[in-house]
Amino acid sequence: MVRKGGGDLGGRRSTIRDVAARAGVSASTVSRVLGGVYPVSTRTRARVQRAVRELDYVADAHAKAVAGAGTPALALVLDDITGPSFAHMARGVEREAARLGHLCLVCSTDGDTGHELGFIEMMRAQRAAAVILVGGAVDSPEYRRRMARVADSLASAGSRLVLCGRPPLAPGTPVTVIEYDNENGAFALCAHVLAQGHRRVLFLGGSPENTAAQGRERGYLAAHRARGIEPDPALRLSGDFTRDSGHRLLRRALDQGLAFTAVMAATDMVAAGALTALHEAGLSVPGDVSLAGYDDIPFARDLHPPLTTVHVPYEQLGRLAVRTSLGRTPDAPDEHLLLGTHVVIRDSVAPPAGAPL
Amino acid sequence: MVRKGGGDLGGRRSTIRDVAARAGVSASTVSRVLGGVYPVSTRTRARVQRAVRELDYVADAHAKAVAGAGTPALALVLDDITGPSFAHMARGVEREAARLGHLCLVCSTDGDTGHELGFIEMMRAQRAAAVILVGGAVDSPEYRRRMARVADSLASAGSRLVLCGRPPLAPGTPVTVIEYDNENGAFALCAHVLAQGHRRVLFLGGSPENTAAQGRERGYLAAHRARGIEPDPALRLSGDFTRDSGHRLLRRALDQGLAFTAVMAATDMVAAGALTALHEAGLSVPGDVSLAGYDDIPFARDLHPPLTTVHVPYEQLGRLAVRTSLGRTPDAPDEHLLLGTHVVIRDSVAPPAGAPL
DNA sequence: TTGAAAGCGTTACCAA
DNA sequence: TTGGTAACGCTTTCAA
């Protein structure tokens, strides 16, 4: 089969030497005109550029990398790109990486720690400029040990570990941690709910091990205590961060006859499922029960009623992750950023029926 | 600063030669035990493996690539990872790629053709196994020319162009096209709406240039004509595929006093925005106005009322994209897959008020 | 301003 | 079963 275009070499990619030959110069010269910054005569440069065009040549990125040139890629490791908040972080990472001229590798782990470790190993093999781990994790001594080892091994390969929305490691570990304030966000949100007069607030959590879920639950608890209320433990349910979890949990609560006048979901997705369950049960929101979410995903506005929630600057988080990890020496001391959140009040939270104004 | 762990070489990554030296063997031998399939004595293998562990060694992927070994990455190019349907395709691609041992590079173009071309060039430099372009495009002679050139240039570099949800190219072009049936899906959906008795159906489209939007609009039109109805052109609005577009368009239609009893949105996101605008105007769905979407994103169930829409197998699309593009000779003839869709009936479409049963 | 040659970290061929 | 060496495609001294 015959390729179109001038650049056929029998199915072989054209190399810098092919270009050199065609332009009647040496490979070094081609490299120099492509590099852009070296002194090359105008005539030579033109000839080389023409040859490049005719051959449709692009320099092999791997060869460049091996030779010590080239821009290393960034690696993004997350649970599931399909979660709206993850997707927004991914966008931030991808955009900032592109702006800085880096390519972006992404891996989904589906929550499997083994996969995660495997991916990190691959990223080290790829000489990634940084490996960004996104999303809550199970915080345990084992987690800290494992991550510290990863951080060191990445650092010694000239790369950098970035933890986004994950618990920090021991001081001195070469890692960048960027968190958003789960606890305070949940505190503010729950305080708002309580201020409306609710006393029995159902908490629809994530996995009890997940640090993001834990932080939000701590905020829920703290807001109660700040008002001198001891929340009923029976009101704290755990599941995962999916829409289905919210739906299932709320339906079960209803079936069990649990008494509550408001629901605080660990996630907007969870809230969405819960809302549907509420509607299915013929309950009106916020007339019969109030509902609040967390994350402020774009869809939250289109729920009915529009969802009161906590805004988390996910995209900015992603941008920050790449900005702070790049242009930093691999084994810089650990660095810790905490981003603020704020509650956005819409229509899904109101005073409980029969409450005093 | 002193690195922890045995593998310190003064900040240098350890190489296969470091491992060889430590194990007292040659680099070739190390390569062989790492490769796994060559005959190596048990004793030697053990020694090498220990050295690998002690040095925390991983083979450099770039060097491997240059040497002709190694698994090439897959490249995914899309508009915006934040769109739910894109995210699901991305998940399909990423999962299937991982299953097959490939890494996945992703780039967002934000609809900029120049960026797109630039990314494709980079992917060629990366020797990507395939470049998967996702999402509707502007179909023009210029588009076809450009894509054909890209397809050839990718093919001659041993890579393969995959078009997902984009118009096909001239026969014979080395490209794989995977489409889902926009027109028939929209036809079926609109037929369902018309069957309920609606006669003035507002169409909330995407960009008039976008082929996905066009296909859906064609389905809308065809369904009308199949019933002998000539739809009022004033009822066809265009915007983009965002939630805000739906909100804005519907609000404007209302402001202008446009008469309609049903709304068909080009996208679930658009439908979500439209739904909120409807609610804000005090209109009930489907009591006053029926509403239908397209894509069947998970959220569609949690809209109120749950949204009648068209299901598109996005994740499967992604998996298929990688499966068909891998393990195929680069300049195989063009291949064209058309995936079916089906309408999922929920509660947002009902007969118009005062309609005959 | 240009070219030759060494080097980057692998793998694969050929001998031993 | 092992080691030496060439080769992969590029960049970067070093000389000219």
Side-chain angles (χ1 to χ4, degrees):
Chain A
M1 154 159 229
V2 183
R3 283 261 60 68
K4 299 137 186 171
D8 196 3
L9 301 94
R12 215 167 94 298
R13 293 167 56 92
S14 41
T15 73
I16 199 171
R17 267 180 280 272
D18 297 321
V19 176
R22 183 159 196 133
V25 298
S26 75
S28 329
T29 300
V30 175
S31 176
R32 283 192 278 254
V33 348
L34 260 31
V37 295
Y38 299 86
V40 181
S41 83
T42 321
R43 226 177 96 58
T44 311
R45 154 163 297 122
R47 282 231 305 274
V48 170
Q49 285 168 339
R50 183 149 57 82
V52 165
R53 226 175 309 118
E54 290 170 347
L55 257 29
D56 193 20
Y57 169 79
V58 260
D60 184 309
H62 298 297
K64 263 182 142 134
V66 167
T71 4
L74 247 74
L76 179 60
V77 180
L78 35 66
D79 239 53
D80 179 4
I81 190 71
T82 265
S85 46
F86 287 159
H88 281 269
M89 290 215 33
R91 171 156 80 176
V93 167
E94 205 281 328
R95 284 191 169 172
E96 192 66 17
R99 210 177 63 79
L100 268 31
H102 295 262
L103 245 26
C104 201
L105 284 158
V106 350
C107 321
S108 299
T109 61
D110 288 306
D112 182 326
T113 304
H115 279 177
E116 182 176 296
L117 250 26
F119 278 132
I120 297 177
E121 203 66 356
M122 287 182 138
M123 301 301 84
R124 196 151 65 94
Q126 297 284 338
R127 301 194 195 175
V131 177
I132 304 176
L133 260 40
V134 160
V138 179
D139 191 10
S140 62
E142 207 268 319
Y143 159 85
R144 290 170 189 246
R145 254 196 312 277
R146 182 163 27 94
M147 284 299 129
R149 203 164 45 231
V150 164
D152 281 329
S153 121
L154 247 18
S156 75
S159 182
R160 175 100 183 164
L161 178 66
V162 182
L163 263 22
C164 252
R166 287 204 176 195
L169 307 179
T173 313
V175 66
T176 300
V177 177
I178 308 185
E179 291 189 276
Y180 46 91
D181 201 334
N182 283 307
E183 178 163 352
N184 278 318
F187 180 94
L189 178 63
C190 191
H192 168 68
V193 171
L194 295 174
Q196 304 292 308
H198 295 276
R199 286 303 171 264
R200 292 188 61 80
V201 183
L202 184 66
F203 181 76
L204 265 26
S207 152
E209 319 267 52
N210 185 292
T211 52
Q214 287 170 349
R216 293 173 193 187
E217 185 164 347
R218 273 199 307 277
Y220 164 91
L221 257 22
H224 279 77
R225 297 195 176 127
R227 277 205 168 247
I229 306 171
E230 192 52 39
D232 183 351
L235 255 22
R236 298 207 302 277
L237 272 28
S238 52
D240 57 42
F241 282 165
T242 64
R243 177 258 171 218
D244 285 350
S245 168
H247 189 262
R248 189 171 2 99
L249 252 29
L250 190 53
R251 164 162 300 191
R252 196 185 313 152
L254 253 21
D255 286 349
Q256 293 175 179
L258 220 48
F260 54 89
T261 63
V263 178
M264 180 167 153
T267 268
D268 285 351
M269 289 293 275
V270 172
L275 179 60
T276 297
L278 251 12
H279 281 147
E280 286 166 356
L283 261 17
S284 109
V285 177
D288 298 316
V289 0
S290 285
L291 174 66
Y294 207 108
D295 283 345
D296 193 24
I297 63 180
F299 243 100
R301 276 173 304 176
D302 295 315
L303 255 15
H304 188 65
L307 191 70
T308 289
T309 185
V310 176
H311 181 81
V312 182
Y314 285 112
E315 183 162 347
Q316 195 200 337
L317 227 67
R319 306 190 97 100
L320 223 55
V322 352
R323 260 204 299 266
T324 60
S325 64
L326 258 31
R328 144 171 295 87
T329 116
D331 44 23
D334 54 306
E335 180 167 18
H336 196 156
L337 272 53
L338 217 202
L339 265 56
T341 56
H342 62 265
V343 358
V344 0
I345 296 183
R346 290 197 269 249
D347 310 331
S348 63
V349 174
L357 295 190
Chain B
M1 151 161 232
V2 183
R3 285 259 58 69
K4 299 138 185 169
D8 195 2
L9 303 94
R12 214 167 96 293
R13 293 166 57 93
S14 40
T15 72
I16 200 171
R17 265 179 280 272
D18 297 322
V19 176
R22 183 158 194 134
V25 298
S26 74
S28 326
T29 300
V30 175
S31 176
R32 283 191 279 253
V33 347
L34 261 31
V37 294
Y38 299 88
V40 181
S41 84
T42 322
R43 226 177 96 57
T44 311
R45 155 164 297 125
R47 281 231 305 276
V48 169
Q49 285 169 337
R50 182 148 58 81
V52 165
R53 227 175 309 117
E54 288 170 349
L55 257 30
D56 195 18
Y57 168 80
V58 259
D60 185 308
H62 298 297
K64 263 181 141 132
V66 167
T71 4
L74 249 73
L76 179 61
V77 180
L78 36 66
D79 240 52
D80 179 3
I81 188 72
T82 264
S85 44
F86 288 160
H88 281 269
M89 291 215 30
R91 171 156 78 176
V93 168
E94 205 279 328
R95 285 190 169 173
E96 192 67 15
R99 212 177 61 82
L100 269 31
H102 294 262
L103 246 23
C104 200
L105 285 157
V106 350
C107 320
S108 299
T109 61
D110 287 306
D112 181 325
T113 304
H115 278 176
E116 182 175 295
L117 249 29
F119 277 132
I120 296 176
E121 202 67 355
M122 289 180 140
M123 300 303 82
R124 196 152 64 95
Q126 297 285 336
R127 302 195 196 172
V131 178
I132 304 176
L133 260 40
V134 161
V138 179
D139 191 10
S140 62
E142 207 267 319
Y143 159 85
R144 288 168 190 250
R145 253 197 311 278
R146 182 161 30 92
M147 284 300 130
R149 204 164 44 230
V150 163
D152 280 329
S153 120
L154 245 20
S156 75
S159 181
R160 175 99 184 166
L161 178 67
V162 182
L163 264 23
C164 249
R166 288 203 175 196
L169 307 178
T173 313
V175 66
T176 300
V177 178
I178 308 184
E179 291 188 277
Y180 46 93
D181 201 334
N182 283 308
E183 179 162 352
N184 279 319
F187 180 95
L189 178 63
C190 191
H192 168 67
V193 171
L194 295 174
Q196 304 293 307
H198 295 277
R199 286 303 171 263
R200 291 189 60 81
V201 182
L202 184 66
F203 181 76
L204 266 26
S207 152
E209 319 267 54
N210 184 293
T211 51
Q214 287 169 350
R216 294 173 192 187
E217 185 162 346
R218 272 199 308 277
Y220 164 90
L221 257 23
H224 279 78
R225 296 195 177 129
R227 277 206 169 247
I229 307 171
E230 190 52 39
D232 182 351
L235 253 23
R236 297 207 304 277
L237 273 27
S238 53
D240 57 42
F241 281 165
T242 63
R243 177 256 169 219
D244 286 348
S245 168
H247 190 262
R248 191 174 357 100
L249 251 30
L250 189 54
R251 165 162 298 190
R252 196 186 310 153
L254 254 20
D255 287 348
Q256 291 174 178
L258 220 48
F260 55 89
T261 63
V263 179
M264 180 167 152
T267 267
D268 286 349
M269 290 293 275
V270 172
L275 178 60
T276 297
L278 250 13
H279 282 148
E280 287 166 355
L283 262 17
S284 106
V285 178
D288 297 317
V289 177
S290 284
L291 174 66
Y294 207 108
D295 282 347
D296 192 26
I297 63 181
F299 242 101
R301 276 172 304 175
D302 295 315
L303 256 15
H304 188 64
L307 191 69
T308 289
T309 186
V310 176
H311 182 81
V312 182
Y314 284 113
E315 185 163 345
Q316 195 201 338
L317 227 68
R319 308 188 97 100
L320 224 54
V322 350
R323 261 205 299 265
T324 60
S325 64
L326 258 29
R328 144 172 295 87
T329 118
D331 44 23
D334 55 304
E335 179 167 21
H336 195 157
L337 272 53
L338 218 202
L339 265 57
T341 56
H342 62 264
V343 358
V344 358
I345 297 184
R346 288 197 270 249
D347 310 332
S348 64
V349 174
L357 296 193

